[in-house]
Amino acid sequence: MNKLAYKRPEGAPVTRFAPSPTGFMHVGNLRTAIYEYLVAKSGGGTFVLRIEDTDQERIVEGSVEVIYKTLKTAGLVHDEGPDVGGEYGPYVQSERLDMYRPYAEQLVREGKAYRCFCTKERLAEVSESIVGGGYDRHCRDLPEEEIQRLLDAGTPYVIRQKMPTEGSTTFSDLVYGDITVENSELADQILIKSDGYPTYNFANVVDDHTMGVTHVIRGSEYLASTPKYNLLYDAFGWEIPKYIHLPLVMGKNEDGSVSKLSKRHGSTGFEDLIAAGYLPEAIINYIALLGWAPRDNREIFSLSELAENFDTDGISKSPSVFDYDKLSWMNGEYLRAMSPEEFTAVAAPFYDEVFGEQGPDRALLTSILQQRVTVLSQIPSMIGFLAELPDYDTDLFVNKKSKTTLENSPVMLRAVIEAMEQLGSWDHDAIHDCLISLAERLEVKNGTVMWPARIAASGTAVTPGGAIEIFELLGREETLRRLKTGLAKLEG
Ligand code: GLU
């Protein structure tokens, strides 16, 4: 870890992604990370990763690794963070614990905060008698001697901020505009808990200030706490960062209504979406557009193109709906833009799922699939028939457009079998030429030969690729076996 390797560009934005390691990476968290990255990078600035683990009870083992892995796969490279270091560390809250208390003590000395010795029992009683719950400020003006006596007796205490009792606090959010709250509605918030740990509200302000964060981007559930944060910035005389609160990400319900995106709408975690066959680039592109729109109607953006085009004016305050169909469409665009070799590489786990290590030529599979697949997980069901001939009904041989019936299909199949048995080399052109000249000889449409041939070879009504490609993929022996099976079915 080379702590001095990275130097912040002066005067440029500094943003931070501050996840709590409490589970997997949800679409909403990922969008926050993307916008933080984009605000930093579109202004040539610094993107910091900070792990907020002061709520030890909520920590889920392994989630820090998921955070690193997600940022890496998504290409959201952080300039500073626990794993890469930086001048403003440590970047894990639990390693910063010594830093918070002195700031709280400073406010106590300046008369802007106080020690509160109230017991849990007393607090439970008073909070019931106060509208909306809260604290009755019992310890706000304790005499000095009383405080000293309680401290000498080792009485546990918390440190609370003295909130103004009159006036109002207004702050400006880049997305939501000006928001005002009456100070009388704000309880004297706890800064340091009786176990010595800072509250989240206190720690995030101290961290954002001491880490030089210029833009705070977070979910709109934090809007209500922001006035409290600002009163802390004011108490210290620190500059208030710019705020960008993001609306919820919603999911579409079956009845057409929308509600907060959750598992029942589909995959909501980054890793789940990858496992479901979406490409990281497509996921990032799609999520970036969930609540942000460019000035034109362009939709396909790489991460660096997003950084070039991003500006906070394009963020909307109306909740956006996660549309899986749209994501699939976008994913298909990315798949088709790949080289065949790239496609084969990303499709490999899905090819393996069907054939194991073996199976037909993969370049050949790619040639029939790349234009048709939108989500990679569709692959197994699209090509499962190649691994095993499904049981099928002879009705499949009947097709109006190809002029095939239960009567002429066996005739066609017999001719195809005979021709294929005599075919010299087994490749696309040879199979093609052979089937076409067969149709000519029999004086029927090409389709009249191709349709029964494809049905017998696949046992499937809709296949990627036609008879020629399927024959080629199956090889001579398996093709003939299947053609004969089909013929026997028709004759039986
Ligand atoms: N640790 C908080 C969370 O994961 C971060 C909130 C913030 O960005 O300040 O929700």
Side-chain angles (χ1 to χ4, degrees), residues 150-163:
L150 288 161
L151 284 178
D152 291 345
T155 317
Y157 66 89
V158 302
I159 296 182
R160 288 184 189 271
Q161 187 185 3
K162 278 189 191 167
M163 294 305 212

Side-chain angles (χ1 to χ4, degrees), residues 416 419-420 423 425-441 446 449-450 466-472:
V416 172
M420 288 298 128
L423 192 65
S425 58
W426 196 264
D427 59 50
H428 187 277
D429 289 351
I431 298 169
H432 170 269
D433 294 350
C434 180
L435 291 174
I436 298 297
S437 61
L438 184 61
E440 246 167 59
R441 246 188 304 131
N446 290 344
V449 171
M450 296 291 184
I468 300 162
E469 289 81 16
I470 294 171
F471 281 20
E472 201 186 354

